[in-house]
């Protein structure tokens, strides 16, 4: 029994040491999603027959560009109010160059704030988990151009 207890204690110590090295990163950025003009960042790839193929969100993370979003979103509500996001945020800025974060969640786009999960990551963000709140900063519904403010918090090693 004693050896098992010691083994568990050692395991706990090892886990606690790993736990202590975990860091928290917060970042705020804007995701631009242009469906019109010459800088298109998103195109609908499937839709409902005889209905406009409108999608919102997906594209370049910009201003001073920090990265790009690669992935898909599927409009998963009959009234068009809910997008299912599955994205990789691929960072190109100096600080996080080459690292990625995997995003998954429901984007109820008519809500002022909505929250999606950060389910994993690579590079600097290995073992990442966290969440991001999304807020629409700009939306032209007719042409589906949008700018979304992301406030993302992750724990990683
Ligand atoms: C990011 O990494 C790529 C490939 O290693 C490199 O070509 C590029 O210059 C780097 N960008 C920055 C901003 O460090
Ligand atoms: C980002 O969200 C966190 C909560 O998750 C909040 O404490 C922080 O003030 C927000 N930052 C900005 C710049 O909005």
């Amino acid at each position: 029994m004693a050896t098992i207890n010691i083994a568990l204690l050692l395991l706990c110590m090892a886990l606690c040491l790993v736990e202590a090295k975990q860091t928290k990163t917060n970042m705020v950025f804007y995701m631009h999603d242009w469906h019109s003009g010459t800088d298109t960042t998103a195109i609908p790839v499937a839709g409902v027959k005889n209905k406009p193929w409108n999608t919102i969100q997906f594209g370049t993370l910009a201003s001073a560009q920090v990265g790009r979003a690669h992935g898909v979103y599927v409009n998963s509500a009959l009234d068009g109010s809910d997008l299912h996001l599955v994205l990789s945020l691929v960072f190109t800025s100096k600080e996080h160059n080459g690292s990625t974060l995997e995003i998954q969640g429901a984007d109820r786009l008519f809500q002022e704030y909505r929250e999606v999960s950060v389910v994993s990551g690579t590079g600097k963000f290995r073992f990442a988990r966290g969440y991001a709140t999304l807020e629409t900063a700009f939306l032209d519904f007719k042409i589906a151009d949008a700018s979304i403010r992301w406030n993302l918090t992750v724990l990683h090693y």
Side-chain angles (χ1 to χ4, degrees):
M1 232 26 203
T3 49
I4 290 176
N5 283 341
I6 288 166
L8 284 178
L9 186 67
L10 287 176
L11 182 66
C12 171
M13 280 169 68
L15 287 177
C16 295
L17 285 177
V18 171
E19 206 59 37
K21 283 197 288 184
Q22 208 168 46
T23 50
K24 190 179 191 179
T25 298
N26 174 257
M27 54 181 115
V28 173
F29 55 84
Y30 287 84
M31 178 182 283
H32 300 300
D33 183 18
W34 302 135
H35 290 251
S36 60
T38 51
D39 269 339
T40 308
T41 59
I43 47 165
V45 290
V48 178
K49 212 178 157 196
N50 303 324
K51 291 221 169 148
W53 286 11
N54 261 350
T55 42
I56 313 221
Q57 195 142 316
F58 175 88
T60 325
L61 317 179
S63 270
Q65 189 174 309
V66 294
R68 296 184 73 84
H70 300 239
V72 293
Y73 48 84
V74 180
N75 204 320
S76 54
L78 280 177
D79 64 359
S81 66
D82 192 353
L83 297 178
H84 181 68
L85 297 187
V86 184
L87 300 176
S88 297
L89 302 180
V90 181
F91 292 92
T92 54
S93 64
K94 209 171 173 186
E95 201 184 350
H96 304 301
N97 197 8
S99 298
T100 66
L101 284 172
E102 294 304 312
I103 307 295
Q104 200 174 318
D107 178 3
R108 296 174 194 93
L109 56 147
F110 297 119
Q111 290 180 4
E112 191 179 0
Y113 293 96
R114 52 271 184 197
E115 195 169 311
V116 294
S117 302
V118 179
V119 293
S120 71
T122 65
K124 282 196 172 179
F125 299 123
R126 284 178 185 167
F127 292 118
R129 65 203 157 82
Y131 62 95
T133 52
L134 276 57
E135 186 187 357
T136 305
F138 167 82
L139 172 66
D140 185 328
F141 200 67
K142 223 165 122 195
I143 49 179
D145 282 357
S147 183
I148 311 292
R149 183 179 190 271
W150 285 62
N151 177 351
L152 182 149
T153 304
V154 280
L155 295 176
H156 58 96
Y157 293 104

